[in-house]
DNA sequence: GGGGGCGGCGCAATATTATTGCGTGGGAGG
DNA sequence: CCTCCCACGCAATAATATTGCGCCGCCCCC
């Protein structure tokens, strides 16, 4: 399957903003019968277009007040070190996102921690403990204006 | 309400990884009856600890292959310009996350676009069109290793 | 232009799940 | 030791999801 129409778009849009909407309501919103709607949703899931469903938690209320972006530089580049670093970074719970990036840094990671002490432990004990990493530059989120908004489906043809 | 026990933790953890799990199954996973479990979930929602539910879409499959992080610098700082800038940034669909940050930049935004042409339009026509913004430095995600992983609940007391 | 085949739809029956009232037990505080 | 209160489980009811089925419209091939 590879073709998606405006109804699929509408379904995705809706599910992005309310991932737990009842299928009955979703169907009504996109002007389909519940059964047809459900079949489309299942197909979108099967196709991998819908990667999953997540409850979004409030970081501040959880006590994970501090969001930090950390740019990492790697000393020697090789396929093996890259893979190993990725594996380690991925396994650190505090790291909620991680990208290989262009520019002066090699990795850009986003971490959620409780406070500066936790941040220090994360950086010193976990990240800088990775041998190949030679430099880290941290940027603190003072305030989050917008978090993981819906993807801009309207921008697609 | 302000106290959360390990059962709540387990519920949140589970809902983070599967936001659409049936209450029956969630209840079994956390060793509660469905009714008790549902009541806890409702309470967590009511409390705002659960901010919402989202379907997570596959950016690549959607054709939004390009993730860009853009650091913005603001010329004159004032309460009004800050508020106005935030309002504009928030309203741009391609911008999926936006933070006020420490360091050499003032804002860090994450954008999802289809390709370089779309990126250029976003940057030139929308972001740099904001008067107070004097500089933008872009970092491209070459590959995403980990996306919006679950928050590290295990790290909380 | 006229079949024929196919895909997707709605309907309806059935299975699952969510939701609410109610009675009970266990722990905290007096 | 007693009492109160909270959170639980149970059970009945309401809502929702799921599947089979027949139908309709579109596209392709003749």
């Amino acid at each position: 399957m590879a073709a998606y129409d405006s109804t699929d778009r509408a379904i995705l849009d809706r599910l992005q903003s309310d991932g737990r909407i009842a299928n009955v309501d979703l169907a009504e919103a996109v002007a389909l019968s519940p059964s047809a709607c459900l079949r489309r949703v299942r197909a979108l899931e099967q196709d991998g277009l819908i990667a999953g469903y997540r409850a979004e938690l409030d970081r501040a209320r959880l006590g994970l007040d501090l969001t930090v972006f950390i740019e990492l530089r790697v000393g020697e580049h090789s396929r093996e070190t890259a893979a190993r670093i990725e594996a380690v970074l991925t396994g650190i719970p505090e790291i909620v996102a991680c990208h290989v990036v262009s520019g002066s840094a090699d990795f850009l990671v986003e971490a959620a921690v409780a406070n500066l002490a936790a941040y220090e432990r994360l950086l010193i004990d976990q990240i800088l403990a990775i041998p190949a990493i030679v430099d880290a530059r941290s940027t603190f989120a003072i305030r989050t204006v917008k978090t993981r908004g819906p993807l801009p489906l309207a921008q697609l043809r």
Side-chain angles (χ1 to χ4, degrees), chain A:
Chain A
M1 198 214 244
Y4 307 100
D5 61 16
S6 62
T7 301
D8 289 316
R9 204 79 51 79
I11 289 174
L12 293 174
D13 218 2
R14 200 80 183 203
L15 285 177
Q16 266 198 125
S17 61
D18 182 4
R20 246 192 148 163
I21 184 174
N23 180 59
V24 176
D25 298 330
L26 178 60
E28 185 181 11
V30 301
L32 276 182
S33 72
S35 58
C37 182
L38 184 62
R39 277 187 285 254
R40 278 182 183 249
V41 172
R42 291 284 176 270
L44 291 169
E45 290 169 358
Q46 213 60 37
D47 262 24
L49 240 165
I50 295 177
Y53 299 91
R54 302 277 136 73
E56 186 181 309
L57 308 186
D58 187 315
R59 291 194 196 186
R61 288 207 176 221
L62 273 174
L64 294 171
D65 280 59
L66 200 50
T67 297
V68 191
F69 294 91
I70 311 174
E71 293 173 280
L72 301 177
R73 282 204 305 128
V74 176
E76 63 174 277
H77 291 81
S78 78
R79 194 177 298 273
E80 293 76 31
T81 57
R84 191 150 29 81
I85 291 173
E86 283 181 25
V88 176
L89 290 177
T90 304
I92 300 175
E94 287 89 345
I95 294 182
V96 297
C98 175
H99 306 262
V100 177
V101 294
S102 70
S104 59
D106 299 302
F107 288 93
L108 174 59
V109 310
E110 175 182 346
V113 292
N115 47 50
L116 282 172
Y119 160 71
E120 187 189 5
R121 282 195 298 276
L122 167 67
L123 184 65
I124 306 291
D125 299 344
Q126 308 225 60
I127 294 178
L128 293 182
I130 303 171
I133 289 183
V134 297
D135 190 40
R137 187 173 144 263
S138 298
T139 300
F140 295 87
I142 295 170
R143 193 158 54 81
T144 296
V145 176
K146 182 178 187 177
T147 308
R148 194 46 56 121
L151 293 174
L153 301 185
Q155 312 303 316
L156 300 174
R157 287 160 289 105

